Amino acid sequence: MPELNLFAEGEEAMYDLGRKIATATGGRGVIYLHGDLGAGKTTLSRGILRGLGHGGAVKSPTFTLVEPYEIGTVRAFHFDLYRLADPEELEFLGIRDYFEGDTLCLIEWAERGTGILPKADMDITISPHAGGRMLRLIPQGTRGEAWCAALATGA
């Protein structure tokens, strides 16, 4: 399946798209989130985590680099690598441990971890577009292709 483009008009629409992505992923996989500051990466992540059943606050991990979430049987990790000075810093964080087993990893500013991070199942680029946000979903393998197919059919 080729890339999928989705439009979100407003914060609630971003949350709704996040819930749909959560359903498609089943709480497993690696998603890279791209976009300028304020594009909506954390808002989309909140929607995904809420879609998995998280009822508490979802804060941006800008200063902590990672926020863990235990949601029933789902283990999810939300990363924000904006303040990362060097990809090697991820090794000190024990980054590889976060990707073991069936986890969901949402990674903002993934390009700052190039060479250390595992390959994404999907890249999502968020950009401003006529009264809302355009989300460009690019699958990076069979798992991402299945997610895009499910999202395209509204499943």
Side-chain angles (χ1 to χ4, degrees):
M1 158 137 226
E3 71 182 56
L4 178 64
N5 292 297
L6 302 171
F7 178 74
E9 185 175 353
E11 189 174 48
E12 274 308 311
M14 284 289 278
Y15 291 148
D16 187 51
L17 278 176
R19 286 188 285 273
K20 289 176 182 175
I21 291 168
T23 299
T25 68
R28 309 286 185 264
V30 177
I31 299 175
Y32 288 179
L33 299 160
H34 307 279
D36 292 335
L37 287 170
K41 298 178 296 294
T42 298
T43 301
L44 183 64
S45 295
R46 279 188 190 109
I48 292 169
L49 292 164
R50 289 178 181 169
L52 293 170
H54 180 69
V58 176
K59 60 183 179 177
S60 175
T62 300
F63 294 101
T64 59
L65 293 182
V66 63
E67 288 292 330
Y69 297 89
E70 299 283 334
I71 310 162
T73 61
V74 174
R75 290 178 48 231
F77 300 99
H78 179 199
F79 296 86
D80 184 333
L81 305 183
Y82 181 73
R83 299 198 183 281
L84 197 67
D86 185 302
E88 290 295 322
E89 291 177 40
L90 294 173
E91 294 293 356
F92 298 113
L93 184 68
I95 193 77
R96 296 180 200 288
D97 296 340
Y98 292 99
F99 299 96
E100 291 179 358
D102 284 332
T103 62
L104 177 65
C105 293
L106 307 170
I107 307 170
E108 299 183 33
W109 301 97
E111 60 276 9
R112 297 189 182 204
T114 300
I116 303 293
L117 294 174
K119 183 179 179 227
D121 294 302
M122 180 182 295
D123 282 293
I124 300 176
T125 300
I126 305 170
S127 55
H129 183 78
R133 300 284 189 259
M134 183 61 70
L135 287 77
R136 181 175 169 219
L137 287 68
I138 303 172
Q140 298 297 331
T142 56
R143 182 183 266 180
E145 289 172 356
W147 297 346
C148 281
L151 291 163
T153 61

